[in-house]
Amino acid sequence: MMDTLRLLGAITALEPRAKQKENTDRAAVEVPVDAFYSLMGRLKSDPQLAFDMLYTHTAVDWSAKGEGPGEFELVYQLYSMTHGHYLLVSTRIPRDNPVAPTVSPIWKIAEWQEREVYDMFGVLYENHRDLRRLFLEDGWNGFPLRKDYKDEFMLERPE
Amino acid sequence: MGMITEKLPGYIEPVPGGSVLLTSMDKLINWSRSNSLWPLTFGTSCCAIEIMMASGAARHDLARFGAEVTRPSPRQADLLVVAGTIVKRMAPRLRTLYEQMGEPRYVMATGSCAISGGPFIYNSYSTIRGADEILPVDVYVPGCPPRPEAFFYGILTLQKMIKLGETIRKPGVRKKPVLAALPPGVTLDQIQKEMAALLEKDAVINLDEANRLREEWANIKMAGNEGA
Ligand code: SF4
């Protein structure tokens, strides 16, 4: 098991563009999307790190009214069963062109998790084997966890 | 007088001029119905922990009110406790469960979610805004989640309602009991003052009094030792 500092050191050595996230209780890094996939691969294969489990993947909609299109932050929570350490990896993609590489070749479970994020946020995962809706009906319009989502069932909060 | 056949209480043969036995039968039936509610456990989220687990467990003990025989099957239940958020996809299933329950059946909506959609009333793509959009609800228990005590108050209310309510002559007609009437001669102001005094007393430790008590106890003990 590595403590947070050594873990972060090892990751910056692997990928110098990985930035440490502030105000977190566990090790957390943010990487640019073009360096993201290769870093994820090495996080799993490196015997020192050996992150063999992706236990959550979700997204955050960072957009505010009247402030341009905004971004999605994709959040991946990793755990190493070999060493018992945790890591949060995040990457940002533009909201108006939400394309990200799939990590399902690295962790098989990502297939389902990415389907859920696609279902709720409409993030498109390149090379995903089967990118269909998971929870909502196939004919659903729009992506309900986006901040600008609206439909006729919804009751809007009065100002 | 009415003739009661083996199909009690569904079928009563009318006999001209009788009512004494019927009313007594109503009372007896309603009494037994109200004291042997079998709830169907329909817990969809956090409220279920309070309503189904905490209320049923030893500390609060739902069995005191005769409603502890929770059933996982609607065919054996007569009280549907909606404990939790209901989403669009769940709604038709909930309705089906309700339809499958035998008459007479009662519905309790516990928690804000089951009453109105609660925390998810606005900007939700999936939450049904209250169980009464799909079911006729008899008793509402507010809270997020309601404490077991509140749930018991709901159960007692329902029992009251059953006892007052449905008769064999008019099945399906339920009377809502009067619940929150103050006893005569007591005002809300008095109750508030009393509560405030009680809280004040609970929150303050009187050191002099405590010391005096301790000395008193010590004296008693010493006196006891001397005697022995
Ligand atoms: S009312 Fe509150 S506690 Fe109950 S299900 Fe809804 S959110 Fe959970």
Side-chain angles (χ1 to χ4, degrees):
Chain A
M1 180 160 170
M2 285 199 208
D3 59 34
T4 307
L5 279 181
R6 280 178 51 218
L7 198 60
L8 287 171
I11 289 157
T12 346
L14 280 183
E15 176 53 66
R17 280 188 292 162
K19 276 205 306 288
Q20 185 189 342
K21 283 174 85 78
E22 281 165 17
N23 298 329
T24 55
D25 50 354
R26 281 180 186 162
V29 291
E30 185 172 329
V31 279
V33 69
D34 50 336
F36 167 73
Y37 186 78
S38 66
L39 175 67
M40 289 304 246
R42 278 176 290 165
L43 285 179
K44 185 177 179 189
S45 58
D46 188 313
Q48 284 295 299
L49 301 168
F51 285 105
D52 41 19
M53 181 175 167
L54 169 67
Y55 71 90
T56 310
H57 166 42
T58 185
V60 186
D61 183 349
W62 290 110
S63 63
K65 258 184 211 153
E67 277 185 26
E71 283 175 325
F72 285 127
E73 182 177 10
L74 304 181
V75 180
Y76 298 79
Q77 303 271 8
L78 304 177
Y79 175 64
S80 165
M81 284 196 263
T82 326
H83 301 303
H85 48 215
Y86 293 88
L87 177 68
L88 181 152
V89 182
S90 82
T91 184
R92 284 174 183 253
I93 53 173
R95 230 168 143 274
D96 48 3
N97 178 28
V99 183
T102 173
V103 293
S104 51
I106 309 174
W107 297 278
K108 193 93 172 127
I109 187 65
E111 261 179 37
W112 293 88
Q113 298 174 345
E114 287 172 352
R115 271 179 72 184
E116 183 184 350
V117 174
Y118 163 71
D119 202 359
M120 295 295 161
F121 292 91
V123 174
L124 301 169
Y125 293 92
E126 269 173 327
N127 303 327
H128 190 289
R129 216 162 51 98
D130 182 23
L131 200 60
R132 280 180 298 131
R133 286 197 180 275
L134 183 59
F135 294 126
L136 302 177
E137 292 87 347
D138 286 333
W140 195 283
N141 260 329
F143 303 101
L145 289 195
R146 288 191 178 193
K147 281 190 182 162
D148 52 6
Y149 176 83
K150 279 188 182 67
D151 62 22
E152 65 270 25
F153 171 79
M154 198 178 249
L155 193 66
E156 274 189 64
R157 179 189 292 277
E159 292 301 326
Chain B
M1 189 76 79
M3 293 272 292
I4 294 164
T5 68
E6 73 274 15
K7 288 182 193 151
L8 185 91
Y11 178 74
I12 306 283
E13 206 173 280
V15 176
S19 73
V20 180
L21 180 58
L22 268 189
T23 40
S24 317
M25 281 313 291
D26 277 338
K27 268 206 182 121
L28 179 67
I29 292 166
N30 284 340
W31 171 81
S32 58
R33 268 180 190 162
S34 68
N35 287 311
S36 62
L37 289 166
W38 286 17
L40 171 72
T41 49
F42 191 83
T44 44
S45 45
C46 10
C47 269
I49 298 172
E50 207 79 358
I51 300 310
M52 282 160 31
M53 299 173 205
S55 305
R59 187 184 175 97
H60 294 287
D61 196 9
L62 194 48
R64 290 180 293 158
F65 307 103
E68 83 283 15
V69 195
T70 47
R71 295 281 106 178
S73 154
R75 301 282 187 205
Q76 302 167 343
D78 51 9
L79 166 62
L80 175 58
V81 181
V82 185
T85 326
I86 311 153
V87 294
K88 262 200 230 165
R89 274 200 165 181
M90 183 58 91
R93 278 84 177 170
L94 178 57
R95 180 74 209 188
T96 310
L97 286 175
Y98 175 74
E99 308 270 351
Q100 284 176 339
M101 287 164 65
E103 288 274 6
R105 52 200 171 191
Y106 309 94
V107 180
M108 259 172 91
T110 55
S112 320
C113 282
I115 294 173
S116 67
F120 313 108
I121 184 167
Y122 293 126
N123 299 345
S124 163
Y125 62 98
S126 62
T127 310
I128 299 282
R129 291 181 279 275
D132 47 10
E133 301 224 334
I134 35 180
L135 305 173
V137 176
D138 290 304
V139 174
Y140 297 85
V141 181
C144 180
R147 285 190 53 86
E149 289 91 327
F151 177 59
F152 291 155
Y153 191 59
I155 290 265
L156 292 175
T157 307
L158 185 67
Q159 290 184 342
K160 225 179 198 174
M161 196 169 117
I162 296 171
K163 281 179 191 154
L164 283 180
E166 264 175 277
T167 54
I168 299 171
R169 287 217 184 112
K170 294 179 192 153
V173 177
R174 291 175 194 174
K175 289 192 198 120
K176 302 261 165 178
V178 179
L179 292 171
L182 287 175
V186 179
T187 63
L188 204 57
D189 226 35
Q190 281 173 339
I191 296 178
Q192 278 170 351
K193 277 208 189 93
E194 212 169 288
M195 287 305 288
L198 203 68
L199 284 174
E200 179 73 21
K201 190 169 159 255
D202 270 4
V204 176
I205 298 170
N206 188 339
L207 275 181
D208 292 342
E209 179 71 9
N211 283 336
R212 196 182 60 75
L213 278 178
R214 206 173 46 215
E215 267 164 35
E216 220 166 76
W217 273 102
N219 289 341
I220 290 172
K221 238 169 124 187
M222 258 153 55
N225 286 346
E226 275 161 22

